[in-house]
Amino acid sequence: MSNFLHVSVSCIESIIDAPATLSKPNRRWHLAFATIYYSRALHSLLNKKNKKTSKLPLSTPSFVVLNVEPHLAFSYIDHKSLTEVVKKKNLDQLREFGGVAGVADALKTDAKNGIHGDIEDIARRQKAFGSNTYPRPPAKRFFYFVLEAFKDLTILILLACATLSLGFGIKEHGLKEGWYDGGSIYVAVFLVISVSAVSNFRQNRQFEKLSKVSNNIKVEVVRDGHRQQISIFEIVVGDVVCLKIGDQVAADGLFLHGHSLQVDESSMTGESDHVEVNSHHNPFLFSGTKVADGYGQMLVTSVGMDTTWGEMMSTISRDLNEQTPLQARLNKLTSSIGKVGLAVAFLVLVVLVVRYFTGNTEDENGNQEFNGGKTKANDIVNAMVRIIAAAVTIVVVAIPEGLPLAVTLTLAYSMKRMMADQAMVRKLSACETMGSATTICTDKTGTLTLNQMKVTKYWLGKEPVEDSSSIDTHVLKLIQQGVALNTTGSIYRAASGSEIEISGSPTEKAILSWAVLELDMDMEVIKQYYAILHVEAFNSEKKRSGVLMRKKADNTIHVHWKGAAEMILAMCSSYYDASGSIKNLDDGERMTFEHIIQGMAASSLRCIAFAHIQIPEEEQEISEGMQKLKEDSLTLIGLVGIKDPCRQGVRKAVEDCQYAGVNVRMITGDNVFTARAIATECGILRPDQDMNGEAVVEGEVFRNYTPEERMEKVGKIRVMARSSPFDKLLMVQCLKQKGHVVAVTGDGTNDAPALKEADIGLSMGIQGTEVAKESSDIIILDDNFASVATVLKWGRCVYNNIQKFIQFQLTVNVAALVINFVAAVSAGEVPLTAVQLLWVNLIMDTLGALALATEQPTKELMEKPPVGRTEPLISNIMWRNLLAQALYQIAILLTLQFKGESLFGVSEKVNDTLIFNTFVLCQVFNEFNARKLEKKNVFKGLHKNKLFLGIIGITIILQVVMVEFLKKFANTERLNWGQWGACIGIAAASWPIGWVVKCIPVSEKPFLSYLKW
């Protein structure tokens, strides 16, 4: 063996001899690592020996150097084994590794202060263990959308006709002129497919961008003793991550410390029961799961593709082909119109074929086209192809393919603009549903208010405290303990200076800030004197949090409670007065405290109470064993009033919603007095509105109504105070039963059922938990109610833009169908050729959709009542407008068809050009009419929509090119200035006609109500 192997002795010693300074778990990792590397080395050498051939090299080295040096930074850990331990929840193997503490040591993580977190440290960890990202399925390429567009049946029919037309055209007229008809259809098909594919491709890309933004969750970690927020993608193995109710677990890991931590693993296992996570029986946490209760800290052991969630998500592609309700209705409408168009096209086909074979058609020289047996088969086939192509183009014009395109464009445009207006759309359908919203149920904290809380009042006993130096020393210590130990927040004080950084929820930050700055509290010192035994975490149902702890000095056990003032007050039987004496809390005293709480609440203050009890010796063992906090006979320490000022602009936003016919209701966990004060300040409640007590109710009262009472009173309720998430859900259900379209805002985990139940769920981007965001349709990025009002405006804009385009599109369809049908039946020929009809279709479908679908919201939208969800898509006003314009166009164009030659003294070909030119220009002028469905002034705000003006300009330029320069291609003749003037004059008459028509009143009963679109 010595011929093949000579290993440096120093290398062996460095691996086998673990340094004496290493902890026991690290020595185990060291030994495991050495064993793995030696077994691999020996196996490799034996393989080399066995594979040795008879032909030996001329000179062989006397030794082989094996590089068995591990990754220098993490030499005592086999990451693959650790990943498997966590994935398989292998508690025995975890103990072999030295438990969680051993793993933390091996990962060079301080369980309290986290990793160093400098650039080099992060880079080393990412190199050793990977980053917290996973490869997504490749995005759909542009070619995919081109192929999708080709699957359209109409496109396939057009391509078949184009091929036949091209073949017979070249055969009949030669290559130089025979390609026009077939080639023009190809060009039109190419343009339609291009616009459709580009639009869908861009929308897909936009969804991808939104998906990246929505996946970029902010996570709280501890690095170098400093609690900070980072992106989920920046987490590395060894990080200490802070978890609280509603958080998504960002990576696989192990539980370090915390209390009452329960995790919802249904996304991984499908089991709906919450799993308790603790140090002894189940310290395993998995990426993608949600924190259901409690709080804690975890040590990250695997990231990205090494997690079960990463493996799963890398194979899942988000479905971007979501069809909104409006798109479904439009597809149905398109189908209905298509059937009518198909019937008309078939009729035209039959009429033209009959006229041809009965000898009623003439060629360009005035000769009869069909002469029985004398006509060549080739001529008959050419004629049939021409007739079929004309029929197919009628179908193409009849089917308003632009409708789905218009919806796609307007939704994509609206989504982009809403993002700029602080609203991220997660579900497309929410854009249009929001336009129909009749009521908005909003939270108070952070939505109507700034969520910048500050303690402004403190009451000790029945006296307000102005100066903390006057507080009794014993009481002061109790307050400091209650704040420091019963909190999910933290305080970071930089070593270099006195600058402090407080993290946690806004309420926690306000209380901690007050305790540190006003009461001179040192959180770290207090924590050293007490051992926490059990914690009851705060949630929106209980509205309180408590802590059971042992004082290390004398082993006495204490309970501290903190929460909504009236709830804590109900648990107390005594109180501390200003001098530090304990007084009995009888009914009279209780009434006094209730008045103090009401007074603070009436000043828009959120009232928090602190209470304490020392557990008697005889009850200590029971309390420790049961891990249950005592909830009665407490002593009230004090009351604090926290001010959260209203957001600027909220009152105006509420008034805008009310003016638009949308009721705003406030649902809050605060007490009645605070809720009433804030609601009045925001304009939700008028000062004189709650005289009979029906406008403001408590959640419990609402909950205890009979179903009949709830349905009767829910319409009058403007404010619901002291509500639980169940009360919010109950209100949403009642409002929906009454026919309302309900939008709900929510930020907590417990708001998820109400957000899902509502027609539009709006979650908060800053304060919202990941559970709330996943249950919502739209995320309000700045947590501001004014943004909710903006979303309402955009929702109405989407619906209004679609209606504008439908009116415009159907005017074209009705006019083109009637003109071609009447002319074909009576004269035996179609005045608008295949190329011309395709050109009109292209202009109206794509450019028209682009022009009308990108109109921005106006104040007028908020002056109308909400559109009910059952109202017809084509309103009476739209029918009035489109029928008037269509009838005018039909009358003018049929007059030109039958009398144009004599009226203008022109040839048949010039007359056909006049008909084509007038028809297109009528659509251009009617595009202005379509901008306003009801208002007579269609030019208002026109200068703001540069895109609309640009598209009108492009359309006119292209039309001039078609008429003047593409004579053979478009089958047109050049027109002189007078003829152009006549065409423009006739088309411009649609403006005064539109103005007059809008003076005609329409009934409220839906026109053609028997038709179900």
Side-chain angles (χ1 to χ4, degrees):
M1 197 70 180
S2 60
N3 294 333
F4 294 95
L5 177 65
H6 173 75
V7 182
S8 166
V9 174
S10 61
C11 184
I12 295 171
E13 286 176 349
S14 70
I15 294 168
I16 293 176
D17 295 335
T21 53
L22 285 179
S23 63
K24 195 176 178 183
N26 270 351
R27 290 174 72 85
R28 284 204 193 101
W29 280 111
H30 193 94
L31 191 60
F33 159 76
T35 307
I36 291 163
Y37 268 89
Y38 272 113
S39 61
R40 284 180 183 170
L42 291 169
H43 185 261
S44 166
L45 288 167
L46 286 169
N47 278 353
K48 283 184 183 179
K49 188 177 179 182
N50 291 338
K51 289 175 184 174
K52 192 171 63 172
T53 58
S54 56
K55 190 175 180 182
L56 290 169
L58 292 172
S59 64
T60 56
S62 59
F63 63 88
V64 176
V65 177
L66 296 175
N67 181 14
V68 292
E69 190 179 350
H71 195 287
L72 289 171
F74 304 98
S75 54
Y76 311 119
I77 189 160
D78 178 21
H79 187 234
K80 193 174 180 185
S81 304
L82 179 59
T83 301
E84 289 304 310
V85 167
V86 176
K87 278 184 184 176
K88 292 176 180 175
K89 292 190 174 184
N90 193 331
L91 205 56
D92 294 332
Q93 202 173 340
L94 179 64
R95 288 193 187 110
E96 283 178 27
F97 292 159
V100 178
V103 174
D105 263 0
L107 292 173
K108 298 191 182 332
T109 299
D110 185 309
K112 184 183 175 188
N113 296 321
I115 61 173
H116 288 301
D118 54 35
I119 296 167
E120 291 82 8
D121 187 25
I122 300 297
R124 276 197 303 271
R125 289 172 187 277
Q126 286 183 338
K127 188 177 179 182
F129 308 115
S131 62
N132 198 27
T133 55
Y134 42 85
R136 288 271 183 183
K140 290 170 183 170
R141 296 184 180 276
F142 178 71
F143 189 63
Y144 169 85
F145 296 100
V146 173
L147 287 175
E148 283 296 303
F150 269 109
K151 291 177 184 176
D152 188 281
L153 183 62
T154 315
I155 294 293
L156 294 174
I157 294 168
L158 271 175
L159 284 171
C161 282
T163 307
L164 289 170
S165 182
L166 191 66
F168 288 118
I170 290 170
K171 188 178 179 185
E172 189 178 356
H173 302 292
L175 182 62
K176 195 174 180 182
E177 293 185 3
W179 68 272
Y180 291 145
D181 270 8
S184 68
I185 299 173
Y186 272 127
V187 169
V189 168
F190 171 76
L191 287 170
V192 168
I193 285 171
S194 298
V195 171
S196 176
V198 167
S199 172
N200 289 331
F201 177 68
R202 285 188 65 188
Q203 190 187 2
N204 185 274
R205 280 297 159 93
Q206 198 171 338
F207 263 119
E208 291 289 335
K209 282 181 187 173
L210 285 177
S211 181
K212 280 179 187 172
V213 172
S214 61
N215 289 338
N216 189 11
I217 300 162
K218 291 294 177 189
V219 179
E220 202 169 66
V221 296
V222 179
R223 286 183 178 175
D224 204 19
H226 183 200
R227 213 160 161 177
Q228 53 189 278
Q229 280 204 333
I230 62 168
S231 164
I232 190 170
F233 305 127
E234 293 171 9
I235 284 178
V236 291
V237 169
D239 257 325
V240 173
V241 178
C242 305
L243 299 172
K244 60 182 186 299
I245 294 177
D247 282 353
Q248 178 176 311
V249 179
D252 285 5
L254 296 166
F255 176 81
L256 280 170
H257 48 79
H259 298 280
S260 312
L261 190 66
Q262 290 197 333
V263 175
D264 176 6
E265 293 186 354
S266 57
S267 58
M268 303 291 290
T269 62
E271 295 290 330
S272 57
D273 290 341
H274 296 159
V275 177
E276 187 172 344
V277 179
N278 52 47
S279 303
H280 309 295
H281 308 296
N282 178 31
F284 306 104
L285 287 150
F286 298 100
S287 175
T289 57
K290 307 288 189 305
V291 179
D293 201 2
Y295 63 88
Q297 291 187 342
M298 68 173 269
L299 171 70
V300 175
T301 56
S302 308
V303 291
M305 285 302 292
D306 289 331
T307 66
T308 314
W309 183 254
E311 287 173 18
M312 190 167 70
M313 289 304 287
S314 65
T315 61
I316 295 171
S317 176
R318 185 177 168 192
D319 181 23
L320 304 175
N321 298 321
E322 172 202 0
Q323 192 177 54
T324 71
L326 187 56
Q327 281 175 321
R329 285 171 80 185
L330 282 173
N331 286 344
K332 207 172 176 185
L333 174 65
T334 303
S335 175
S336 303
I337 296 169
K339 286 170 188 172
V340 174
L342 205 61
V344 171
F346 181 73
L347 208 56
V348 167
L349 181 71
V350 170
V351 168
L352 291 178
V353 168
V354 169
R355 287 180 69 90
Y356 176 79
F357 285 111
T358 53
N360 288 323
T361 55
E362 296 175 347
D363 59 19
E364 292 172 0
N365 303 318
N367 301 322
Q368 190 175 316
E369 277 193 299
F370 183 73
N371 288 316
K374 295 176 184 178
T375 308
K376 293 176 185 176
N378 195 27
D379 292 339
I380 294 171
V381 170
N382 283 341
M384 287 303 103
V385 167
R386 260 198 328 274
I387 290 167
I388 291 166
V392 168
T393 46
I394 287 173
V395 175
V396 174
V397 170
I399 297 173
E401 300 127 32
L403 289 182
L405 181 66
V407 178
T408 305
L409 284 170
T410 194
L411 287 175
Y413 176 75
S414 301
M415 278 176 67
K416 196 174 179 182
R417 294 306 298 261
M418 283 166 81
M419 192 74 173
D421 285 341
Q422 302 300 315
M424 188 176 84
V425 180
R426 292 186 75 250
K427 291 180 186 169
L428 266 179
S429 54
C431 280
E432 58 203 44
T433 314
M434 196 66 191
S436 304
T438 57
T439 188
I440 298 171
C441 298
T442 177
D443 282 341
K444 175 188 78 73
T445 307
T447 310
L448 298 171
T449 60
L450 281 168
N451 212 9
Q452 292 172 359
M453 300 191 185
K454 187 181 179 187
V455 174
T456 57
K457 282 271 177 75
Y458 171 57
W459 288 69
L460 178 55
K462 295 181 282 184
E463 301 292 326
V465 176
E466 301 297 333
D467 184 12
S468 59
S469 61
S470 63
I471 303 172
D472 176 74
T473 311
H474 175 62
V475 175
L476 184 63
K477 283 182 179 176
L478 285 175
I479 297 165
Q480 289 176 342
Q481 290 163 20
V483 173
L485 300 168
N486 185 13
T487 182
T488 53
S490 69
I491 297 167
Y492 172 74
R493 196 186 295 268
S496 55
S498 59
E499 192 68 29
I500 61 164
E501 202 171 297
I502 299 170
S503 58
S505 72
T507 308
E508 295 282 13
K509 281 162 81 173
I511 293 170
L512 285 170
S513 177
W514 166 72
V516 170
L517 301 175
E518 298 286 325
L519 307 182
D520 202 25
M521 178 188 80
D522 191 326
M523 195 168 177
E524 291 304 314
V525 171
I526 293 169
K527 280 186 173 180
Q528 287 171 15
Y529 291 112
Y530 291 89
I532 294 173
L533 304 175
H534 185 64
V535 169
E536 270 202 33
F538 179 90
N539 67 37
S540 52
E541 199 129 8
K542 296 181 289 189
K543 295 187 172 47
R544 66 184 187 203
S545 65
V547 62
L548 177 72
M549 62 202 190
R550 182 193 289 113
K551 191 175 182 180
K552 292 176 182 176
D554 56 9
N555 275 340
T556 53
I557 291 181
H558 302 257
V559 173
H560 274 279
W561 282 99
K562 173 183 76 181
E566 63 265 44
M567 296 200 173
I568 299 295
L569 183 66
M571 296 159 67
C572 295
S573 60
S574 57
Y575 70 94
Y576 282 100
D577 68 5
S579 64
S581 305
I582 296 178
K583 297 283 181 73
N584 187 41
L585 191 64
D586 57 25
D587 290 343
E589 300 287 358
R590 196 176 293 276
M591 190 74 75
T592 306
F593 277 105
E594 283 174 0
H595 284 309
I596 292 169
I597 293 166
Q598 288 170 17
M600 280 203 268
S603 305
S604 304
L605 297 180
R606 170 181 281 187
C607 200
I608 307 287
F610 293 90
H612 162 263
I613 188 170
Q614 182 175 332
I615 306 293
E617 279 185 42
E618 60 271 17
E619 292 179 32
Q620 283 189 11
E621 285 184 29
I622 301 168
S623 290
E624 282 190 75
M626 289 179 67
Q627 297 278 292
K628 186 163 170 49
L629 276 66
K630 192 171 173 66
E631 297 182 5
D632 54 15
S633 305
L634 307 177
T635 303
L636 184 72
I637 304 171
L639 304 166
V640 295
I642 300 175
K643 180 72 176 174
D644 186 12
C646 275
R647 283 183 179 273
Q648 209 173 2
V650 159
R651 191 178 183 91
K652 187 183 181 305
V654 168
E655 285 169 358
D656 287 347
C657 290
Q658 290 169 341
Y659 186 63
V662 179
N663 288 317
V664 180
R665 293 173 165 84
M666 186 175 90
I667 302 175
T668 178
D670 284 334
N671 69 32
V672 173
F673 303 99
T674 309
R676 188 184 281 115
I678 294 285
T680 307
E681 197 177 334
C682 294
I684 293 171
L685 205 63
R686 293 192 305 275
D688 59 334
Q689 198 169 0
D690 194 35
M691 292 302 188
N692 55 5
E694 289 187 335
V696 181
V697 297
E698 284 196 333
E700 192 178 356
V701 175
F702 182 73
R703 201 183 316 144
N704 294 333
Y705 284 150
T706 63
E708 293 76 23
E709 282 178 320
R710 267 201 297 271
M711 290 302 287
E712 181 195 336
K713 295 184 178 184
V714 72
K716 298 170 188 172
I717 295 170
R718 289 290 169 270
V719 178
M720 190 194 283
R722 281 286 174 248
S723 67
S724 69
F726 176 73
D727 300 326
K728 186 185 270 194
L729 177 64
L730 206 56
M731 177 171 259
V732 171
Q733 289 169 338
C734 289
L735 288 167
K736 282 181 77 176
Q737 283 172 32
K738 289 205 84 168
H740 286 280
V741 178
V742 186
V744 167
T745 73
D747 56 8
T749 304
N750 292 326
D751 289 328
L755 288 167
K756 281 185 176 173
E757 181 69 27
D759 295 287
I760 313 103
L762 304 154
S763 66
M764 299 296 120
I766 300 169
Q767 286 302 312
T769 63
E770 290 312 311
V771 177
K773 287 176 189 175
E774 281 193 13
S775 303
S776 66
D777 306 304
I778 296 172
I779 299 173
I780 305 297
L781 298 174
D782 61 354
D783 288 17
N784 194 343
F785 184 80
S787 300
V788 177
T790 306
V791 170
L792 178 69
K793 196 186 287 183
W794 271 109
R796 292 191 174 191
C797 181
V798 167
Y799 197 85
N800 193 247
N801 284 351
I802 301 297
Q803 284 191 314
K804 289 175 189 176
F805 184 71
I806 290 171
Q807 178 186 297
F808 174 66
Q809 176 80 63
L810 291 187
T811 307
V812 181
N813 295 133
V814 171
L817 271 179
V818 173
I819 292 157
N820 275 352
F821 177 68
V822 171
V825 171
S826 56
E829 60 182 27
V830 180
L832 298 169
T833 65
V835 177
Q836 291 168 354
L837 281 175
L838 284 164
W839 168 240
V840 172
N841 195 45
L842 190 68
I843 287 177
M844 299 314 123
D845 274 7
T846 53
L847 295 178
L850 200 59
L852 293 170
T854 53
E855 285 274 350
Q856 292 198 29
T858 59
K859 287 182 181 177
E860 295 159 15
L861 291 171
M862 300 295 272
E863 290 172 4
K864 296 186 289 185
V867 179
R869 68 175 107 205
T870 55
E871 285 190 34
L873 201 54
I874 307 175
S875 65
N876 287 3
I877 290 162
M878 291 166 66
W879 278 118
R880 176 195 68 190
N881 296 344
L882 79 86
L883 287 175
Q885 293 293 341
L887 287 171
Y888 169 69
Q889 289 178 23
I890 290 163
I892 287 294
L893 296 177
L894 286 179
T895 303
L896 286 174
Q897 170 69 16
F898 297 111
K899 299 287 182 184
E901 290 175 41
S902 57
L903 283 172
F904 286 96
V906 291
S907 66
E908 184 186 348
K909 203 162 185 183
V910 173
N911 190 50
D912 285 347
T913 305
L914 283 170
I915 292 169
F916 168 58
N917 201 31
T918 304
F919 184 56
V920 171
L921 290 174
C922 276
Q923 310 322 320
V924 171
F925 281 92
N926 194 35
E927 215 161 329
F928 287 88
N929 286 329
R931 285 189 72 242
K932 308 284 180 187
L933 297 178
E934 294 178 68
K935 300 284 179 182
K936 292 171 187 172
N937 181 8
V938 295
F939 306 108
K940 189 178 179 183
L942 185 63
H943 62 285
K944 292 178 184 175
N945 195 340
K946 302 287 191 294
L947 186 63
F948 182 90
L949 293 170
I951 286 169
I952 293 291
I954 290 166
T955 308
I956 292 168
I957 290 165
L958 290 174
Q959 180 61 17
V960 170
V961 170
M962 282 286 282
V963 172
E964 297 295 322
F965 302 105
L966 299 176
K967 289 166 57 182
K968 287 187 177 178
F969 178 73
N971 201 21
T972 56
E973 285 290 320
R974 283 191 169 184
L975 300 177
N976 60 36
W977 286 105
Q979 289 161 347
W980 268 102
C983 291
I984 291 167
I986 292 166
S990 64
W991 283 352
I993 288 168
W995 192 89
V996 171
V997 164
K998 283 172 186 172
C999 297
I1000 302 168
V1002 290
S1003 67
E1004 288 190 15
K1005 189 183 177 185
F1007 180 61
L1008 298 178
S1009 56
Y1010 53 86
L1011 280 178
K1012 301 284 182 190
W1013 295 114

